[in-house]
């Protein structure tokens, strides 16, 4: 059953799953936010309970800090993270639980990214912020990096 407050995109990435995984783990700063935005990675402790911290920076000096924790990391298959907690399990104002899934499909990678929200209002806010377009651009940038390093 799909969560009623979930937004999802899926893409078939023309690169093997191992390359897509490496693009995530080793090249995150190259694709994580839609250009011309860029991201500064502060910490990516990719294990359950590990800290995820970054600052997204816009072309006009905008800054959007993001901090959360990883809930699940299954190498080459799945990453689940949330902003409901900061490092040390300190509660934060929750917005979403994100899931990135990677699966083999005919020599390529089926990439599925979803964001589950606590409320319909939060989901609508994320949708209005450009979820589909933004996360779609990010998926395309992920593919570019994965193809380059494959």
């Amino acid at each position: 059953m799909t969560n009623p407050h979930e937004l999802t995109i899926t893409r078939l990435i023309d690169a093997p799953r191992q390359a897509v995984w490496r693009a995530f783990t080793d090249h995150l700063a190259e694709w994580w936010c839609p250009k011309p935005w860029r991201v500064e990675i502060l910490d990516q402790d990719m294990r359950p309970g590990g800290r995820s911290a970054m600052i997204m920076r816009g072309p006009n000096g905008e800054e959007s800090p993001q901090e959360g924790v990883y809930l699940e990391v299954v190498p080459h298959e799945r990453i689940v993270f949330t902003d409901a907690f900061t490092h040390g399990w300190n509660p934060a104002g929750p917005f979403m639980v994100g899931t990135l899934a990677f699966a083999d499909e005919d020599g390529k990678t089926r990439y599925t990214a979803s964001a589950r929200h606590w409320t319909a209002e939060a989901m609508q806010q994320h949708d209005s912020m450009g979820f589909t377009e933004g996360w779609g651009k990010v998926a395309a940038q992920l593919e570019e990096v994965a193809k380059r390093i494959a």
Side-chain angles (χ1 to χ4, degrees), residues 58-77:
N60 299 314
E62 306 94 331
E63 287 191 355
S64 179
Q66 297 179 337
E67 181 153 357
V69 296
Y70 289 101
L71 300 174
E72 180 181 29
V73 178
V74 180
H76 305 280
E77 292 181 22

Side-chain angles (χ1 to χ4, degrees), residues 1-145:
M1 180 176 122
T2 301
N3 181 297
H5 306 307
E6 182 176 80
L7 299 170
T8 301
I9 66 153
T10 185
R11 298 289 186 273
L12 187 59
I13 294 178
D14 189 13
R17 185 165 40 144
Q18 290 75 12
V20 177
W21 182 261
R22 272 192 40 233
F24 185 91
T25 58
D26 299 340
H27 300 268
L28 187 65
E30 296 175 45
W31 63 269
W32 184 252
C33 55
K35 293 176 184 172
W37 284 67
R38 59 184 180 79
V39 66
E40 176 186 353
I41 305 296
L42 304 176
D43 194 5
Q44 293 299 314
D45 183 4
M46 289 190 60
R47 62 182 175 82
R51 180 180 185 222
S52 170
M54 61 186 73
I55 302 171
M56 293 174 57
R57 300 185 190 281
N60 299 314
E62 306 94 331
E63 287 191 355
S64 179
Q66 297 179 337
E67 181 153 357
V69 296
Y70 289 101
L71 300 174
E72 180 181 29
V73 178
V74 180
H76 305 280
E77 292 181 22
R78 183 175 153 102
I79 300 166
V80 182
F81 58 94
T82 187
D83 60 355
F85 300 96
T86 59
H87 184 66
W89 300 110
N90 293 307
F95 183 62
M96 70 172 199
V97 173
T99 300
L100 308 176
F102 311 88
D104 291 327
E105 189 173 317
D106 298 325
K108 300 177 182 181
T109 303
R110 175 60 60 186
Y111 171 74
T112 304
S114 65
R116 289 184 176 178
H117 304 82
W118 271 255
T119 65
E121 293 78 20
M123 181 187 73
Q124 289 301 322
Q125 177 189 4
H126 200 182
D127 198 28
S128 296
M129 290 167 57
F131 170 85
T132 302
E133 180 182 354
W135 285 40
K137 284 182 182 178
V138 166
Q141 292 170 184
L142 170 61
E143 181 174 32
E144 289 173 17
V145 173

